[in-house]
């Protein structure tokens, strides 16, 4: 079975992931890779519907966690696993670390509950699907807040106070500590060109980019 490369991108709202994901998709295609670009919550018709609910509909923290993992289940089954089996590079704007950071760190959902959900949703033949690389755009919440002021109408996460994002960052840090090899932590408050150079370097180090 051919096996692709799974890369996820994480960070608090306003960290500036999207333009780097677009640029990386183009660069990888130029180097001959077949690229699947997707996002969470979302990436399938069902998961995009769940995304609308999670981002806009009031709900309690555990309901939110169950919905993001339900969306992930559909996305993994329909998009991510088939793409990896084809040998694609999968670039995913957020994955399970976001649930630990936002629902765990930000909302206070029990970590063990999230680990259980992760096992159920991402397991296949005993192995839990994880990205091969997670690029974490680490941005101080105060900088993100200043950027988000100019953004479109805020959703249920973007409208949270700065303190919420400190908790989210702690959630990401806890995930990184648990699996440091998987993470490339990039200081997202550097000039854009430097952030881009760091993104490329993370792939060069793993032998995926020339
Ligand atoms: P984004 O696509 O603009 O990054 O927005 C997605 C939002 O959803 C973002 O605020 C983070 C949040 N989110 C969670 O709370 N849990 C999750 O598991 C995922 C994937 C995203």
């Amino acid at each position: 079975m051919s096996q692709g490369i799974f890369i996820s991108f994480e960070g608090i709202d306003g960290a500036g992931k999207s333009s780097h994901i677009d640029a990386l998709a183009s660069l990888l295609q130029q180097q001959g890779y077949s690229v699947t670009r997707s996002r969470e919550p979302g990436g399938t018709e069902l998961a995009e519907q769940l995304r609308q609910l999670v981002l806009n509909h009031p709900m309690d923290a555990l309901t939110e966690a169950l919905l993001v993992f339900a969306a992930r289940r559909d996305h993994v089954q329909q998009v991510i696993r088939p793409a990896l089996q084809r040998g694609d590079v999968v670039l995913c704007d957020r994955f399970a670390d976001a649930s630990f950071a936002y629902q765990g760190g930000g909302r206070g959902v029990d970590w063990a509950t999230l680990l259980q959900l992760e096992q159920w949703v991402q397991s296949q033949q005993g192995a839990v699907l994880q990205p091969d690389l997670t690029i974490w755009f680490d941005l101080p919440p105060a900088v993100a807040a200043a950027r988000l002021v100019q953004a479109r109408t805020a959703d249920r996460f973007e409208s949270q106070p700065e303190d919420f994002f400190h908790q989210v960052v702690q959630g990401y840090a806890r995930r990184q500590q648990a699996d440091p090899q998987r993470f490339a932590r990039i200081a997202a408050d550097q000039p854009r060109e430097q952030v881009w150079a760091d993104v490329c370097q993370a792939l060069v180090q793993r032998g995926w980019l020339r």
Side-chain angles (χ1 to χ4, degrees):
M1 185 182 80
S2 71
Q3 185 60 260
I5 301 171
F6 182 17
I7 306 175
S8 65
F9 301 82
E10 299 285 354
I12 59 174
D13 298 83
K17 295 174 274 109
S18 304
S19 63
H20 291 291
I21 302 174
D22 289 339
L24 191 58
S26 303
L27 182 59
L28 287 164
Q29 277 162 345
Q30 280 163 27
Q31 297 207 2
Y33 289 100
S34 175
V35 175
T36 293
R37 189 195 189 297
S38 199
R39 69 168 180 183
E40 289 208 349
T44 68
E45 196 185 330
L46 172 63
E48 290 291 335
Q49 289 189 30
L50 293 172
R51 176 190 176 90
Q52 289 310 318
L53 290 172
V54 169
L55 264 52
N56 302 306
H57 197 286
M59 64 187 74
D60 90 313
L62 182 57
T63 308
E64 195 178 276
L66 292 167
L67 289 183
V68 291
F69 272 102
R72 180 159 308 122
R73 174 72 185 176
D74 196 50
H75 189 216
V76 165
Q77 298 292 103
Q78 307 282 343
V79 175
I80 298 181
R81 282 199 197 280
L84 292 173
Q85 276 164 10
R86 285 194 304 271
D88 282 15
V89 179
V90 175
L91 303 181
C92 194
D93 191 344
R94 303 189 184 282
F95 192 63
D97 298 310
S99 305
F100 287 84
Y102 281 78
Q103 281 65 54
R107 304 275 199 225
V109 174
D110 176 45
W111 207 259
T113 302
L114 297 173
L115 286 169
Q116 178 67 75
L117 287 169
E118 183 180 46
Q119 288 274 337
W120 282 334
V121 164
Q122 290 152 238
S123 287
Q124 195 174 57
Q125 290 162 354
V128 179
L129 177 72
Q130 292 291 356
D132 299 296
L133 167 66
T134 296
I135 299 183
W136 173 17
F137 293 79
D138 191 17
L139 188 69
V143 178
R147 287 186 187 174
L148 285 174
V149 167
Q150 300 141 23
R152 54 201 149 68
T153 321
D155 62 35
R156 288 179 60 244
F157 297 101
E158 291 162 341
S159 57
Q160 290 296 314
E162 203 178 300
D163 191 48
F164 174 85
F165 291 102
H166 284 285
Q167 304 297 329
V168 171
V169 169
Q170 283 183 16
Y172 278 128
R174 187 168 169 187
R175 285 289 278 182
Q176 185 193 27
Q177 278 157 20
D179 193 0
Q181 303 297 334
R182 175 164 66 83
F183 277 82
R185 182 178 185 168
I186 291 175
D189 55 349
Q190 303 175 96
R192 198 187 175 287
E193 304 71 47
Q194 187 57 50
V195 174
W196 171 241
D198 289 354
V199 169
C200 293
Q201 184 56 25
L203 276 81
V204 170
Q205 267 173 7
R206 287 164 177 79
W208 300 334
L209 265 186
R210 291 191 295 277

